[in-house]
Amino acid sequence: MINKPNNMMFRVFIRLIAVVVVTFSIYLFFSGHNAPGGGFIGGLMTAIAILVMYLVFGVSTIKESLPFNYTYMMSIGLLLAAFTGIISWIAGYPYLKQFFDYFQLPLFGEVELTTALIFDLGVYLLVVGAAMTFILTIVEDDS
Amino acid sequence: MEIVMSAVIGLLFAVAVYLMFSRNILRVLIGTLLLSHSVHLILLTMAGLQRGAPPLLFLEAGSYTDPLPQALILTAIVINFGITAFVSVLVYRTYQEHKSVDLYDMRGAKDE
Amino acid sequence: MTLLHIAVLAPFLFALLVPFLFKYLRKIHTGWFVMIVPLVLFIYFVSYLPTTSDGHTVMKRFEWVPSLGINFDLYVDGLSLLFALLITGIGTLVILYSIYYLAGKKERLNHFYVYILLFMGAMLGVVLSDNIIVLYVFWEVTSISSALLISYWYTKDASVYGAQKSMYVTVFGGLTMLGGFSLLYVMAETFSIREMIAGSDIIMNHELFLPAMILVLVGAFTKSAQFPFHIWLPDAMEAPTPVSAYLHSATMVKAGIYLVARMTPVFGGGAEWFWIITSFGIFTMLWGGISALRQKDLKAILAFSTISQLGMIMSLLGAGSAAFYYMDGDNALYTTAILAAVFHLINHATFKGSLFMVAGIIDHETGTRDIRKLGGLMTIMPISATLSVIGLAAMAGLPPFNGFLSKELFFTGIMNVVQYDMWNGDTIGFILPVIAWIASIFTFTYSAIIFFRTFRGKFKPDMLPVKKVHEAPIGMLISPIILVLAVLVISIFPNMLAYTVIEPAMMSILPGILSEGSSFYVDIYHWHGINLELTMTIGVVIIGTILYMTMDKWSKLGIYQKEQDIITTVYDYGYDALIKGSQLITRAQMTGMLRDYLVYMLIFIVGLMTYTMFRFEGFHFSMENASDIDLFMYVILATLSVTIILLPKVNNRMTAIILAGFVGFLVAFIFTVFRAPDLALTQLMVETVSVILFMAVFYHLPNLTKDNIAPLTKSINIVVAGMSGLMVTFVSISAFTYGQMTPFEAISQYFIENSKSLGGGYNMVNVILVDFRGLDTMLELLVLGIAALGVISLIKLRVGESDDV
């Protein structure tokens, strides 16, 4: 939409900002289980970063550089979330029962891994996909 | 605090309802937004405000704020986001089809 | 799940196969397959005959909803076995008949046989269930299948009208009956008929006795077409004739009779039971007889005749309940009426079934059922003529046919009422035999009309749609021939049935009143000597003949010019008024405006809340536990209040969006203050994305304009909005105060304690979302996904572009 030629500084900075925002969103996503954050927040923040890029660089440019199909992203997210539930179901536990344990990983030290993280990843993907779909369908609608 | 909050929530609700009574579909949309805010705040207020630390266990506080309403509100916010998005797109399409945002004009009186 | 259960469910199960049989084996008429079901079931039920005729009963239990006392219990005794045999026996014959009646190429046989099987299974369920709730469920399925069969030729308006009418009347009765059953449950605290009979003393002396009885009777009367609910039966004749023969004369309409017989031990000792059933029955008999004379359509005459005969059986059941009052089963004075009822039930099924089938043959071969066009068929269709002579003679009560035997018993049973010294039987009871006698004259007359107008007189080939009229194919004649043979066999050896079928049935209608070692008086004779009954029959024949001879004179009377029943006129008028009235109300209320609907809803909710607050003292207010307010919160809340008050006044769309977004950010700030970091973050993100979304949408839309709303509407709006706001405030304060007052432990404590140990996370909100309440989140994702799909289909796929949205 806003696509003026004379905003050089803005364009340079927005790239940096977008990278920072995406990084921060990923941090929020991972810290979700133990600190404020999680799939919803991380997903929405990622969506905002992509949207900001769209605002600055225009629809066609970003569509080339970020060729995601957001509908697929939503489906994958939903399937992922449902899938974690089914695993525990097959194992004889109630649907969507989550498991966690602590592992000793090189470089990271002791890390807690939970199946809830996979579930949250599903949430993340779906939220990004849905938020982008909502806005892009309108923006791309020419008629 | 809770009493004052309740009053503000009532005001939010009243204005939201008033906006939804409007003929203009955009005002109705904004009304639904305000309505959801008021509902979120009511959920939070019911459980009592400012009681204990945020619901994060690593703070190791003696008492925590009730986490359940917060979880409920979080779900509500996201669902409300989905609904709002859908309704706004509906408004957009309605305008494309009917060239009007006036709810009185959009009544389906034709085929009745 | 026993064999008996499977027998009841077999028709339903077989119904599932019918569409496939119809589709893949089209060469063979589907009826041939379907016929196996009732035939096998008939043989199966015959195997129960020795058990019941020895006075034993069979009870099979299958637990369905044991916690509510609803069990699929099946109970076989004399009464239910009699009905089961009728259902399967007549069912076999009717299906055989239908194979020739419905042409395999043209008709939607798959539909027809599915409905028939549905009915058969449901009817078996009705008569064999011991649990009244199960009985009710099957009862409603018979109503539905009946309506489906009536509307089988759904392109005809009359079929649809008849189906609708029967549906309204019988389902209304079914629901009423359910009410009666609920009251019975309240009284007896059981759904089992067996246990109710055992506890009939409690029911008899309960204050709900009369309401329960009337409600149950409305159900029975609607089903068995008793006045004034009989109006649906003549219109049900739009169904194919096999259906009329099966449902609307032999079986379904007898479900009401069954229910009355079944409930006799429960309600039978009351005077109301006796008088209501006897008087409605006898009046229905008269009304049906009078109405039958007016009809010009063969099937319509038979329909009113069925109504009349059902009334007769009903009145006998009423009269026979006296045996319960006297608790005397040994004396034939009280039990003859029940004997007559059971005997006539069987007879009616045989002769009326054959008559319907012959009427169907005439319709099939000549193309019309109008008695003004028919005539002189005796020589052309000799077999059909013979069959109908026997059937009609039985119906008219001429000796030596079985109709005569049961008519004699009927006279005896009804005249016995005069000797009952209870419930005014000895004073005003004499009216009953008089009406019975008059009604029997009409029965004789319309039987004569049917015979002489169709088979005698002049043959009028030019008035018939079919040019070459001939006798029906042999396949079509088999079923009526079998039924007529049954009539003849019963006529000659009436006592063959007496001890095998009738006595067990009587024992289940009148249980526990026989003295030790004695039995019911069930002997049926042709010749009793010259007594009052015989004189009455002779009178019927003489006056009936005179009536028929003078028909040309009295049929010119005003009442005989109209074919339509007066009750039908009332029904039609009421139906129209109902539709017009509801349209009026709907139009007045459904304005198509969102605002109006919201106003209705909010006024209702506010009213309800106000009532609750006053009624249950729901409003609580206490400052005690309220937390303190920081100074900056005053600023925040004041800013929020000003912003939201300003919002309705804004006329610039961008300003409106920004203000709405501002409110959202303020709410996020409030979340932060109230120790909800996750909420604050989410709210911030959502608000940002929403603002971008609104920008994108509103960009394409026109600017906001000042609302042009009438001043009165506007003030109503303000008042309603203000009231709702106040209500929300009160609810919020009460909920908070009440929550602080009551010392129950919040479930949140569980989450606080376990989110680390069970969920493995420190952020309780997140643990609740992804672990404890994972399914909620899962569904929430689904909502979001569906919303996104909706957006895509609205914009990209342009759903409904061609339609007028």
Side-chain angles (χ1 to χ4, degrees), chain C residues 302-321:
Chain C
L302 289 175
F304 277 107
S305 134
T306 305
I307 291 170
S308 172
Q309 305 274 322
L310 289 168
M312 172 178 156
I313 302 175
M314 203 59 109
S315 65
L316 283 169
L317 285 174
S321 71

Side-chain angles (χ1 to χ4, degrees), chain C residues 745-759:
Chain C
E745 198 185 341
I747 48 169
S748 313
Q749 205 53 40
Y750 172 83
F751 297 119
I752 292 172
E753 278 160 16
N754 291 314
S755 77
K756 182 76 193 79
S757 51
L758 291 179

Side-chain angles (χ1 to χ4, degrees), chain C residues 529-742:
Chain C
I530 298 173
N531 55 6
L532 191 53
E533 287 88 340
L534 191 65
T535 325
M536 281 168 89
T537 305
I538 294 167
V540 164
V541 174
I542 293 169
I543 301 181
T545 316
I546 295 169
L547 258 184
Y548 176 73
M549 294 302 195
T550 56
M551 192 180 165
D552 292 340
K553 296 207 173 61
W554 53 256
S555 63
K556 292 198 177 62
L557 289 170
I559 171 175
Y560 281 105
Q561 292 301 313
K562 273 186 269 170
E563 276 189 48
Q564 203 182 35
D565 201 308
I566 177 115
I567 309 290
T568 296
T569 318
V570 173
Y571 165 86
D572 286 343
Y573 183 78
Y575 183 70
D576 278 354
L578 191 70
I579 288 185
K580 291 220 178 77
S582 42
Q583 269 176 345
L584 210 68
I585 293 171
T586 313
R587 288 233 177 88
Q589 158 216 1
M590 294 284 151
T591 52
M593 280 188 278
L594 179 66
R595 181 252 167 198
D596 291 359
Y597 301 149
L598 277 175
V599 168
Y600 301 150
M601 285 191 260
L602 284 166
I603 286 178
F604 178 76
I605 295 171
V606 169
L608 194 69
M609 280 291 185
T610 319
Y611 171 76
T612 316
M613 291 245 177
F614 280 110
R615 173 73 177 70
F616 301 103
E617 294 173 359
F619 184 65
H620 297 280
F621 180 79
S622 148
M623 296 283 280
E624 239 172 74
N625 284 307
S627 51
D628 305 325
I629 312 175
D630 296 316
L631 189 62
F632 72 91
M633 275 309 282
Y634 280 117
V635 182
I636 299 287
L637 291 179
T639 321
L640 182 66
S641 307
V642 172
T643 319
I644 49 186
I645 289 170
L646 279 176
L647 252 176
K649 297 195 189 306
V650 175
N651 280 330
N652 185 306
R653 57 189 167 161
M654 287 305 159
T655 320
I657 295 168
I658 291 166
L659 279 185
F662 184 59
V663 172
F665 288 122
L666 281 178
V667 170
F669 185 79
I670 293 171
F671 283 148
T672 326
V673 175
F674 294 151
R675 320 274 198 266
D678 281 281
L679 292 189
L681 272 171
T682 317
Q683 180 68 40
L684 272 174
M685 303 295 154
V686 163
E687 216 49 52
T688 315
V689 179
S690 298
V691 167
I692 299 175
L693 179 74
F694 286 154
M695 291 284 189
V697 170
F698 285 31
Y699 176 78
H700 296 278
L701 298 181
N703 217 335
L704 288 167
T705 45
K706 212 165 176 301
D707 266 359
N708 187 14
I709 295 176
L712 179 66
T713 320
K714 193 164 184 172
S715 34
I716 293 174
N717 286 356
I718 292 173
V719 170
V720 174
M723 293 293 285
S724 343
L726 263 174
M727 176 199 78
V728 168
T729 305
F730 285 150
V731 168
S732 171
I733 292 173
S734 309
F736 164 69
T737 318
Y738 196 66
Q740 299 299 320
M741 267 166 36
T742 31

Side-chain angles (χ1 to χ4, degrees), chain A residues 34 45 98 102 112 141 143, chain C residues 685 756 760 762-763 770 798:
Chain A
N34 293 319
M45 193 171 258
Q98 310 289 9
Y102 298 90
E112 182 196 8
D141 188 38
S143 56
Chain C
M685 303 295 154
K756 182 76 193 79
Y762 290 95
N763 184 352
V770 299
R798 299 268 162 189

